[in-house]
Amino acid sequence: MEDGYQNRTAFIKGAKDIAKEVKRQAAKKVGRSVDRVSDEYSKRSYSRFEEDDDDNYPMQGSQDGGYYRGDSQAANDDEGGHSDSTEGHDEDDEIYEGEYQGIPRADSGKGSLAGGPGSVGAGAQQFRDIGVSEAERRKDQEELAQQYETILQECGHGKFQWSLYFVLGLALMADGVEIFVVGFVLPSAEKDMCLSEPNKSMLGLIVYFGMMVGAFLWGALADRIGRRQSLLISLSINSIFSFFSSFVQGYSTFLFCRLLSGVGIGGSIPIVFSYYSEFLSQEKRGEHLSWLCMFWMIGGIYASAMAWAIIPHYGWSFQMGSAYQFHSWRVFVLVCAFPSVAAIAALNAMPESPRFYLENGKHDEGWMVLKQVHDTNMRAKGYPERVFSVTTIKTVKQMDELVDVGTDTPAWQRYRLKIMSLSQQIRNNILACFRPEYKRTTFMLMAVWFSMSFSYYGLTVWFPDMIKYIQKQEYESRTKTFTKERVEHVTFNFTLENQVHRQGYYFNDKFLNLKMKSMVFEDSVFEECYFEDITSTHTFFRNCTFIASLFYNTDLFKYRLVNCKLVNSTFLHNKEGCMLDFSDDFNNAYMIYFVNFLGTLAVLPGNIVSALLMDKIGRLRMLAGSSVISCVSCFFLMFGNTESGMIALLCLFGGISIASWNALDVITVELYPSDKRTTAFGFLNALCKLAAVLGISIFQSFVGITKAIPILFAAGALAAGSFLATKLPETRGQVLQ
């Protein structure tokens, strides 16, 4: 029987090669370049042999047992199994280049080429064939979904899933770190690079723009080239440009590196949740995807701890003259790339998603991964003798396939055609999310993602800004004011801080080796004064006059002298660049890190509750309930008039809202089929980052003006999101599409 089987396979392959050669010759006669050809003739040529052979060699079993080994066959089958869906498959198949543009194939008949009456019938037949193929593909996907769930039940949940949990957790941790990096380094970077207010705002938002692009790009690619490969590429880009950003000196290059770093890490969330969900059975999916969300919290804690330990310390920095300075905040940026690097190293030991393989017709690869999952779990549970009983898994009929266009085609043209084909497939995948069967779901999820992101990111940035504003108000309340003072022949060699001097007169005074912090001189006269080794922060001279004065080794640049007159005054050996002095904001820096640490740690209870209840009460109840409670908690912000009060409210809001984020991640994964899952998730996550930019920009503009408008915006957005969430379909207890 084995010799007969080999002879049959060789005969099928020979018939197929002959059919392909006939087709190529026909294409050459009509002057067509055959880059991509649909091999219908070949399929028909050898399908008869398969049908005939199926009568002689029927597959053992039926719907109930057809995918599993029989008692007599299990002893003879090898470990890899064999699939009818891959049998006789030839990777050199070619598809006609114009298939997606509706151009008739070269072998469709003379009537089609000439535009005669036969072309109408051929076109109608082509559309009918496409409709039949799509119907067959949908049927295959439904059968695969049911069988895949059964296989995951057999594989069990154990060592393999937990190993993948920690690997993907590192990637999610890198995303959490990326959110906090710029916020922590901004107070130091703005002084180190002399940033203006507009530049500071752009640096704070550039990461979100990068993550928006990255989520859309990598999410779409993951459905075409694979989850694992897309995640490896995206994390590599993040690691490379995070590393570069810690060394570059200029603002523009630093901004560019952080942008590309954000583009890289933007693919983390869409891919990680989709990737992990395809290894989880339905009764484990909601709980363990919620546990995975904890790594985002761990990333925030890691960033806060590293900032606390590194940034305020002088010993972590060095400089080479005034041209190159490597301060401690740059060490912090470098350290924040470690989770991404660790994720890349660990991900190399993990396989591709078997569901992705099966959705793309790669039966043997998917089977091997599922066998690896089964064997790993069984060995860890003490049952190494248990055999993976699945021999054949349903694969999905392929509508298109990237192929080799021939060795005689120039390399650049082959790459161009492949890129164009890949782009077309990605575009079709995105448009498929708005087809009638998904249109309502997509628009509902867009509204929920946008409303939650707008309120959450807006408030989480507004909280620290309000705390800074309260600190500033308290600091300014202690400001000392001096008017019309006359100071002569006095040497100042001590720190001057938080003072305002108006209409003063200073004659023959010396300002030596001192620091000026938050000092303002207005309408004052400095005559024959000497300034040496001055370091200033938030210090300005407005409408002042300097007569015969000397400035030596100071950082009192012209932008600090506002509308001032210089008469016979000289500047020698000015300090170049902006001087970074951590002692200026030592206490404030620790407060920022501590507040973010508490705010991130506060989501731990919400993570635990959502993980334990996700599969018990359902995704929709968790999402809507958490959003309603978050909406109510917003109104308590009106009572936050002190630092401690604002910190407590920040922790409350974060701890409640995290449950709705976990539910939204789970339901987004489960509402789309596998071939569109990361594309849809990436699109929605990109919309999330756009909403974050809008929320941050709007909420920040009201700091110090009013609390009412940000609170009303946030509460209204959360209320709308919770209402729309109830209109989504419940996915608890359903197989993964």
Side-chain angles (χ1 to χ4, degrees):
M1 181 179 292
E2 183 175 356
D3 294 339
Y5 174 79
Q6 293 176 351
N7 293 335
R8 179 180 64 87
T9 303
F11 184 68
I12 291 172
K13 189 175 188 305
K16 184 178 177 181
D17 292 340
I18 294 172
K20 288 171 59 177
E21 183 61 28
V22 171
K23 181 179 59 181
R24 288 195 182 96
Q25 296 298 328
K28 290 180 180 179
K29 290 181 180 179
V30 295
R32 300 266 183 176
S33 65
V34 184
D35 294 335
R36 299 168 55 89
V37 182
S38 93
D39 204 355
E40 292 185 12
Y41 181 80
S42 300
K43 293 177 182 176
R44 294 176 182 175
S45 298
Y46 66 85
S47 62
R48 297 196 304 273
F49 298 102
E50 291 183 341
E51 293 172 359
D52 295 341
D53 190 71
D54 287 341
D55 297 334
N56 299 323
Y57 303 96
M59 179 178 291
Q60 185 170 348
S62 60
Q63 179 67 25
D64 296 333
Y67 297 119
Y68 297 90
R69 297 176 184 266
D71 295 334
S72 60
Q73 187 179 358
N76 297 325
D77 285 348
D78 57 44
E79 192 173 286
H82 201 82
S83 167
D84 284 341
S85 61
T86 58
E87 185 177 325
H89 176 70
D90 190 348
E91 294 182 355
D92 294 331
D93 288 353
E94 295 181 341
I95 301 174
Y96 173 49
E97 165 179 57
E99 181 175 355
Y100 294 105
Q101 289 75 27
I103 302 173
R105 293 187 296 272
D107 57 347
S108 59
K110 294 182 179 180
S112 299
L113 294 173
S119 62
V120 177
Q125 180 63 37
Q126 182 179 7
F127 283 117
R128 282 196 296 270
D129 291 344
I130 293 175
V132 171
S133 298
E134 289 181 346
E136 291 177 356
R137 180 176 173 83
R138 285 194 294 269
K139 182 180 179 181
D140 290 345
Q141 288 175 327
E142 293 173 0
E143 293 180 8
L144 172 60
Q146 296 295 332
Q147 188 199 1
Y148 193 79
E149 179 63 33
T150 305
I151 295 173
L152 287 179
Q153 296 285 349
E154 180 181 344
C155 292
H157 187 93
K159 180 180 178 181
F160 183 91
Q161 281 86 355
W162 283 112
S163 300
L164 185 63
Y165 170 80
F166 287 105
V167 172
L168 297 181
L170 289 172
L172 200 59
M173 179 180 171
D175 182 272
V177 170
E178 190 75 16
I179 292 291
F180 291 96
V181 168
V182 173
F184 287 157
V185 304
L186 192 56
S188 301
E190 66 173 305
K191 298 176 183 178
D192 199 8
M193 294 188 286
C194 306
L195 300 184
S196 61
E197 288 298 326
N199 287 343
K200 286 165 55 180
S201 300
M202 178 56 68
L203 186 58
L205 296 176
I206 197 65
V207 174
Y208 291 97
F209 283 115
M211 295 176 79
M212 179 176 65
V213 175
F216 186 83
L217 173 64
W218 302 117
L221 282 175
D223 276 332
R224 303 309 308 173
I225 67 175
R227 282 80 162 110
R228 177 178 173 273
Q229 185 175 354
S230 297
L231 188 57
L232 281 172
I233 297 173
S234 65
L235 290 175
S236 299
I237 292 175
N238 171 253
S239 302
I240 291 170
F241 286 98
S242 292
F243 176 81
F244 286 156
S245 66
S246 66
F247 291 95
V248 297
Q249 295 293 299
Y251 166 75
S252 298
T253 51
F254 182 78
L255 192 71
F256 178 74
C257 288
R258 294 316 303 180
L259 172 66
L260 293 184
S261 175
V263 170
I265 202 60
S268 176
I269 289 181
I271 299 175
V272 162
F273 284 102
S274 301
Y275 190 6
Y276 193 47
S277 69
E278 292 169 354
F279 287 91
L280 300 173
S281 58
Q282 67 181 40
E283 71 271 9
K284 299 286 187 181
R285 195 182 307 124
E287 176 186 351
H288 286 270
L289 286 177
S290 298
W291 287 125
L292 185 64
C293 294
M294 292 188 66
F295 277 93
W296 198 92
M297 174 199 72
I298 295 173
I301 293 175
Y302 174 82
S304 301
M306 291 299 101
W308 198 339
I310 296 174
I311 293 180
H313 298 285
Y314 287 106
W316 294 78
S317 60
F318 68 90
Q319 63 183 41
M320 300 172 61
S322 60
Y324 187 86
Q325 300 176 356
F326 193 86
H327 293 298
S328 57
W329 68 267
R330 296 182 181 274
V331 179
F332 167 72
V333 173
L334 187 62
V335 169
C336 284
F338 289 172
S340 185
V341 175
I344 294 171
L347 194 59
N348 278 291
M350 292 291 111
E352 178 58 86
S353 164
R355 186 65 177 268
F356 172 78
Y357 280 142
L358 297 172
E359 290 282 347
N360 288 272
K362 299 181 179 180
H363 171 274
D364 295 343
E365 292 88 340
W367 185 90
M368 289 298 294
V369 175
L370 288 170
K371 183 179 185 300
Q372 178 185 351
V373 176
H374 174 274
D375 293 349
T376 301
N377 290 339
M378 293 303 107
R379 284 195 299 268
K381 294 178 180 180
Y383 305 107
E385 71 281 358
R386 289 191 180 178
V387 178
F388 186 49
S389 62
V390 179
T391 57
T392 304
I393 308 175
K394 185 69 177 180
T395 55
V396 178
K397 178 180 177 62
Q398 299 304 295
M399 301 291 292
D400 49 73
E401 184 178 359
L402 286 176
V403 297
D404 187 6
V405 295
T407 56
D408 56 339
T409 306
W412 67 269
Q413 189 173 359
R414 292 201 300 269
Y415 290 132
R416 181 180 65 85
L417 291 174
K418 289 182 179 180
I419 292 173
M420 289 176 61
S421 176
L422 182 61
S423 301
Q424 180 68 22
Q425 293 165 8
I426 290 174
R427 176 179 176 275
N428 292 339
N429 236 18
I430 295 170
L431 294 178
C433 296
F434 294 92
R435 287 178 181 172
E437 60 266 36
Y438 303 114
K439 186 175 182 180
R440 181 179 180 274
T441 298
T442 299
F443 280 116
M444 285 290 187
L445 282 174
M446 287 174 62
V448 175
W449 274 90
F450 187 92
S451 61
M452 286 188 55
S453 180
F454 178 83
S455 57
Y456 177 81
Y457 285 101
L459 282 180
T460 51
V461 173
W462 182 72
F463 273 119
D465 286 347
M466 281 300 300
I467 293 174
K468 291 178 185 177
Y469 176 75
I470 293 172
Q471 291 175 340
K472 182 180 178 183
Q473 292 292 100
E474 182 182 358
Y475 184 77
E476 291 180 351
S477 67
R478 301 195 303 267
T479 301
K480 298 180 180 179
T481 302
F482 302 89
T483 305
K484 296 182 179 180
E485 63 179 352
R486 186 179 180 90
V487 182
E488 299 181 359
H489 309 292
V490 175
T491 299
F492 296 90
N493 56 5
F494 49 86
T495 299
L496 300 175
E497 181 179 359
N498 199 17
Q499 299 176 8
V500 177
H501 297 263
R502 296 190 177 97
Q503 299 177 0
Y505 180 77
Y506 304 88
F507 177 77
N508 197 23
D509 295 323
K510 295 182 179 180
F511 299 83
L512 305 177
N513 192 25
L514 59 83
K515 297 177 181 179
M516 293 183 177
K517 180 180 179 182
S518 300
M519 295 290 296
V520 177
F521 295 89
E522 296 179 347
D523 303 312
S524 300
V525 177
F526 296 84
E527 185 175 355
E528 297 183 10
C529 292
Y530 181 69
F531 299 84
E532 181 179 351
D533 197 13
I534 305 296
T535 301
S536 60
T537 304
H538 304 299
T539 297
F540 298 95
F541 296 82
R542 298 190 178 98
N543 301 318
C544 296
T545 302
F546 295 88
I547 303 173
S549 297
L550 176 64
F551 297 83
Y552 182 84
N553 192 29
T554 70
D555 63 355
L556 300 177
F557 305 112
K558 291 185 178 180
Y559 75 90
R560 298 191 185 277
L561 308 179
V562 182
N563 296 326
C564 293
K565 295 181 181 179
L566 299 175
V567 181
N568 296 328
S569 297
T570 306
F571 290 83
L572 298 176
H573 301 287
N574 288 339
K575 295 180 179 180
E576 297 182 8
C578 298
M579 297 297 106
L580 186 60
D581 186 2
F582 293 109
S583 62
D584 290 339
D585 298 312
F586 188 77
N587 294 327
N588 288 340
Y590 274 114
M591 178 58 68
I592 292 172
Y593 311 144
F594 182 67
V595 167
N596 282 277
F597 176 82
L598 289 179
T600 307
L601 189 63
V603 306
L604 178 60
N607 267 320
I608 295 175
V609 170
S610 65
L612 296 178
L613 297 181
M614 189 70 71
D615 288 319
K616 292 182 173 61
I617 67 174
R619 286 74 161 130
L620 292 188
R621 290 181 181 178
M622 180 69 69
L623 175 57
S626 177
S627 298
V628 169
I629 299 174
S630 299
C631 176
V632 174
S633 70
C634 287
F635 291 100
F636 289 100
L637 301 178
M638 296 296 297
F639 305 101
N641 297 318
T642 63
E643 282 187 40
S644 57
M646 293 298 293
I647 293 172
L649 291 171
L650 169 64
C651 295
L652 175 65
F653 179 77
I656 295 172
S657 61
I658 192 63
S660 57
W661 278 112
N662 293 355
L664 187 59
D665 290 333
V666 174
I667 202 171
T668 302
V669 164
E670 295 177 335
L671 279 176
Y672 290 95
S674 294
D675 61 336
K676 302 174 183 64
R677 182 169 296 124
T678 57
T679 299
F681 206 134
F683 171 75
L684 293 169
N685 198 254
L687 183 67
C688 164
K689 297 304 184 289
L690 176 62
V693 171
L694 294 176
I696 291 171
S697 302
I698 293 173
F699 281 45
Q700 280 184 331
S701 63
F702 291 102
V703 172
I705 299 176
T706 179
K707 291 182 180 179
I709 294 179
I711 291 173
L712 289 175
F713 276 167
L718 288 171
S722 60
F723 173 76
L724 293 173
T726 60
K727 306 298 181 181
L728 291 168
E730 177 61 75
T731 58
R732 179 179 55 158
Q734 296 182 6
V735 298
L736 199 63
Q737 295 186 52

